[in-house]
Amino acid sequence: MKKKVGVLLSGCGVFDGSEIHEAVLTLLFLNRRGVEIVCMAPDITQMHVINHLTQEELKETRNVLAESARIARGEIKSLSDVNSSDLDALIIPGGFGAAKNLSEFAFKGPEGSVNPDVKRLLDEMLSDGKPIGALCIAPATVGMALKDRHPKLTVGIHEETIQALESMGVKHEICSVAEVAVDEKNRIVTTPAYMIGPEIKDVAQGIEKLVDKIISLM
């Protein structure tokens, strides 16, 4: 049977959901490695909606699961229906949705909370010894959820985010866009992606390495 890798999405679009390049590259590299992909997202209202042309907030509401389904071409599950037993690994693409819809990190920093189902699944994966990958700003949510385990993560070189993570007991590793940070003890792999960028060809390097490392840990 094929190994199953979950991809946890947080909407559709860098400013209020999943970063589309990061999500699609993750799906592409996983598909090339021949694993079964299980896309998922929380069935909740987005924190807010951003016009990606003007970057202005819109007076409308959208659903994170419905928006994430755009990236997954409709093949997606509600996060509440997914357990660690359904997966062999989990990867979380970045985009501000990872820090707005999966947690409150974007608004409250270390004082914020993590979506209960996100924390539940991350705790289950860690307890079961199954690898977790996170891209861009998504490591901040992983760090919040698993801070008691003092995970080693990277958000590249973004000093303000690094300080926030370290204040929670997270161990931060400086990485370039083409590198990954590997927490062997907790089986967590992270890469900066668009925290550094600047282009899709650059972020693809680290994402491909992350996918390969996650697969090697399964």
Side-chain angles (χ1 to χ4, degrees), residues 73-97:
R73 295 173 58 87
E75 294 293 324
I76 193 165
K77 295 183 176 183
S78 173
L79 177 58
S80 62
D81 295 330
V82 180
N83 301 300
S84 174
S85 58
D86 302 314
L87 307 172
D88 295 293
L90 177 70
I91 298 177
I92 311 175
F96 281 109

Tab-separated table of all heavy atoms in Angstrom, residues 73-97:
chain	number	residue	atom	x	y	z
A	73	ARG	N	-8.438	20.813	-5.660
A	73	ARG	CA	-9.333	20.408	-6.756
A	73	ARG	C	-10.528	19.619	-6.232
A	73	ARG	O	-11.015	18.684	-6.854
A	73	ARG	CB	-8.567	19.604	-7.813
A	73	ARG	CG	-7.492	20.413	-8.536
A	73	ARG	CD	-6.634	19.543	-9.443
A	73	ARG	NE	-7.439	18.837	-10.434
A	73	ARG	CZ	-7.801	19.324	-11.625
A	73	ARG	NH1	-7.445	20.560	-11.959
A	73	ARG	NH2	-8.504	18.606	-12.478
A	74	GLY	N	-10.976	19.998	-5.023
A	74	GLY	CA	-12.163	19.395	-4.434
A	74	GLY	C	-11.913	18.132	-3.641
A	74	GLY	O	-12.795	17.683	-2.904
A	75	GLU	N	-10.710	17.562	-3.763
A	75	GLU	CA	-10.392	16.322	-3.046
A	75	GLU	C	-9.803	16.676	-1.686
A	75	GLU	O	-8.581	16.752	-1.532
A	75	GLU	CB	-9.413	15.467	-3.861
A	75	GLU	CG	-9.993	14.954	-5.161
A	75	GLU	CD	-11.110	13.942	-4.953
A	75	GLU	OE1	-11.011	13.141	-3.988
A	75	GLU	OE2	-12.075	13.944	-5.733
A	76	ILE	N	-10.657	16.891	-0.712
A	76	ILE	CA	-10.180	17.379	0.579
A	76	ILE	C	-11.111	16.906	1.689
A	76	ILE	O	-12.307	16.695	1.471
A	76	ILE	CB	-10.084	18.924	0.554
A	76	ILE	CG1	-9.286	19.455	1.749
A	76	ILE	CG2	-11.465	19.570	0.447
A	76	ILE	CD1	-8.850	20.897	1.593
A	77	LYS	N	-10.544	16.756	2.884
A	77	LYS	CA	-11.309	16.318	4.046
A	77	LYS	C	-11.342	17.422	5.094
A	77	LYS	O	-10.425	18.248	5.184
A	77	LYS	CB	-10.665	15.072	4.664
A	77	LYS	CG	-10.689	13.839	3.775
A	77	LYS	CD	-10.099	12.650	4.509
A	77	LYS	CE	-10.204	11.384	3.660
A	77	LYS	NZ	-9.692	10.191	4.395
A	78	SER	N	-12.395	17.402	5.894
A	78	SER	CA	-12.433	18.281	7.053
A	78	SER	C	-11.404	17.777	8.063
A	78	SER	O	-11.314	16.571	8.330
A	78	SER	CB	-13.814	18.280	7.685
A	78	SER	OG	-13.797	19.012	8.898
A	79	LEU	N	-10.626	18.681	8.613
A	79	LEU	CA	-9.579	18.306	9.560
A	79	LEU	C	-10.130	17.505	10.733
A	79	LEU	O	-9.459	16.599	11.239
A	79	LEU	CB	-8.871	19.568	10.071
A	79	LEU	CG	-7.794	19.387	11.137
A	79	LEU	CD1	-6.693	18.455	10.655
A	79	LEU	CD2	-7.231	20.738	11.550
A	80	SER	N	-11.339	17.809	11.154
A	80	SER	CA	-11.926	17.111	12.297
A	80	SER	C	-12.130	15.625	12.030
A	80	SER	O	-12.294	14.842	12.972
A	80	SER	CB	-13.262	17.753	12.693
A	80	SER	OG	-14.190	17.667	11.632
A	81	ASP	N	-12.118	15.228	10.749
A	81	ASP	CA	-12.323	13.834	10.383
A	81	ASP	C	-11.012	13.073	10.184
A	81	ASP	O	-11.030	11.902	9.790
A	81	ASP	CB	-13.154	13.738	9.094
A	81	ASP	CG	-14.563	14.268	9.268
A	81	ASP	OD1	-15.091	14.173	10.395
A	81	ASP	OD2	-15.128	14.777	8.286
A	82	VAL	N	-9.888	13.735	10.406
A	82	VAL	CA	-8.577	13.119	10.155
A	82	VAL	C	-7.856	12.880	11.471
A	82	VAL	O	-7.773	13.781	12.322
A	82	VAL	CB	-7.713	14.007	9.235
A	82	VAL	CG1	-6.359	13.353	8.973
A	82	VAL	CG2	-8.434	14.281	7.918
A	83	ASN	N	-7.309	11.691	11.622
A	83	ASN	CA	-6.520	11.325	12.797
A	83	ASN	C	-5.130	10.866	12.361
A	83	ASN	O	-4.906	10.549	11.185
A	83	ASN	CB	-7.203	10.193	13.571
A	83	ASN	CG	-8.592	10.566	14.041
A	83	ASN	OD1	-8.758	11.526	14.791
A	83	ASN	ND2	-9.601	9.820	13.598
A	84	SER	N	-4.225	10.804	13.307
A	84	SER	CA	-2.879	10.326	13.015
A	84	SER	C	-2.894	8.928	12.408
A	84	SER	O	-2.071	8.606	11.547
A	84	SER	CB	-2.033	10.327	14.295
A	84	SER	OG	-0.767	9.742	14.066
A	85	SER	N	-3.839	8.103	12.822
A	85	SER	CA	-3.919	6.733	12.311
A	85	SER	C	-4.220	6.690	10.812
A	85	SER	O	-4.005	5.658	10.161
A	85	SER	CB	-4.993	5.946	13.071
A	85	SER	OG	-6.259	6.578	12.960
A	86	ASP	N	-4.702	7.799	10.249
A	86	ASP	CA	-5.012	7.873	8.822
A	86	ASP	C	-3.792	8.229	7.982
A	86	ASP	O	-3.856	8.182	6.748
A	86	ASP	CB	-6.091	8.927	8.561
A	86	ASP	CG	-7.379	8.649	9.319
A	86	ASP	OD1	-7.823	7.485	9.301
A	86	ASP	OD2	-7.928	9.591	9.920
A	87	LEU	N	-2.698	8.627	8.630
A	87	LEU	CA	-1.553	9.204	7.924
A	87	LEU	C	-0.237	8.533	8.315
A	87	LEU	O	-0.131	7.930	9.381
A	87	LEU	CB	-1.442	10.701	8.251
A	87	LEU	CG	-2.682	11.579	8.043
A	87	LEU	CD1	-2.425	12.972	8.609
A	87	LEU	CD2	-3.048	11.644	6.564
A	88	ASP	N	0.754	8.705	7.438
A	88	ASP	CA	2.127	8.297	7.760
A	88	ASP	C	3.012	9.512	8.003
A	88	ASP	O	4.096	9.389	8.576
A	88	ASP	CB	2.699	7.460	6.613
A	88	ASP	CG	1.962	6.144	6.436
A	88	ASP	OD1	2.067	5.296	7.337
A	88	ASP	OD2	1.264	5.977	5.420
A	89	ALA	N	2.558	10.691	7.559
A	89	ALA	CA	3.287	11.940	7.770
A	89	ALA	C	2.334	13.096	7.508
A	89	ALA	O	1.250	12.909	6.936
A	89	ALA	CB	4.505	12.029	6.852
A	90	LEU	N	2.744	14.293	7.919
A	90	LEU	CA	1.926	15.499	7.749
A	90	LEU	C	2.824	16.649	7.332
A	90	LEU	O	3.914	16.835	7.895
A	90	LEU	CB	1.226	15.857	9.061
A	90	LEU	CG	0.384	17.144	9.068
A	90	LEU	CD1	-0.871	16.975	8.210
A	90	LEU	CD2	0.006	17.529	10.504
A	91	ILE	N	2.379	17.428	6.334
A	91	ILE	CA	3.104	18.624	5.904
A	91	ILE	C	2.137	19.811	5.893
A	91	ILE	O	1.007	19.694	5.420
A	91	ILE	CB	3.730	18.443	4.503
A	91	ILE	CG1	4.747	17.295	4.521
A	91	ILE	CG2	4.408	19.744	4.055
A	91	ILE	CD1	5.369	16.994	3.161
A	92	ILE	N	2.607	20.951	6.400
A	92	ILE	CA	1.795	22.164	6.449
A	92	ILE	C	2.468	23.251	5.620
A	92	ILE	O	3.511	23.785	6.014
A	92	ILE	CB	1.613	22.672	7.893
A	92	ILE	CG1	1.183	21.540	8.832
A	92	ILE	CG2	0.597	23.811	7.926
A	92	ILE	CD1	1.108	21.945	10.292
A	93	PRO	N	1.916	23.599	4.445
A	93	PRO	CA	2.449	24.738	3.688
A	93	PRO	C	2.247	26.039	4.455
A	93	PRO	O	1.430	26.115	5.378
A	93	PRO	CB	1.611	24.722	2.399
A	93	PRO	CG	1.066	23.328	2.305
A	93	PRO	CD	0.833	22.905	3.733
A	94	GLY	N	2.991	27.070	4.024
A	94	GLY	CA	2.895	28.360	4.689
A	94	GLY	C	1.804	29.244	4.108
A	94	GLY	O	0.766	28.760	3.657
A	95	GLY	N	2.052	30.533	4.102
A	95	GLY	CA	1.017	31.513	3.816
A	95	GLY	C	0.470	32.022	5.134
A	95	GLY	O	0.507	31.317	6.151
A	96	PHE	N	-0.026	33.256	5.150
A	96	PHE	CA	-0.497	33.853	6.402
A	96	PHE	C	-1.651	33.076	7.029
A	96	PHE	O	-1.892	33.166	8.227
A	96	PHE	CB	-0.896	35.312	6.187
A	96	PHE	CG	0.267	36.255	6.143
A	96	PHE	CD1	0.647	36.851	4.955
A	96	PHE	CD2	0.988	36.543	7.288
A	96	PHE	CE1	1.728	37.718	4.901
A	96	PHE	CE2	2.071	37.409	7.253
A	96	PHE	CZ	2.443	37.999	6.051
A	97	GLY	N	-2.367	32.294	6.220
A	97	GLY	CA	-3.441	31.482	6.783
A	97	GLY	C	-2.949	30.506	7.824
A	97	GLY	O	-3.673	30.175	8.768
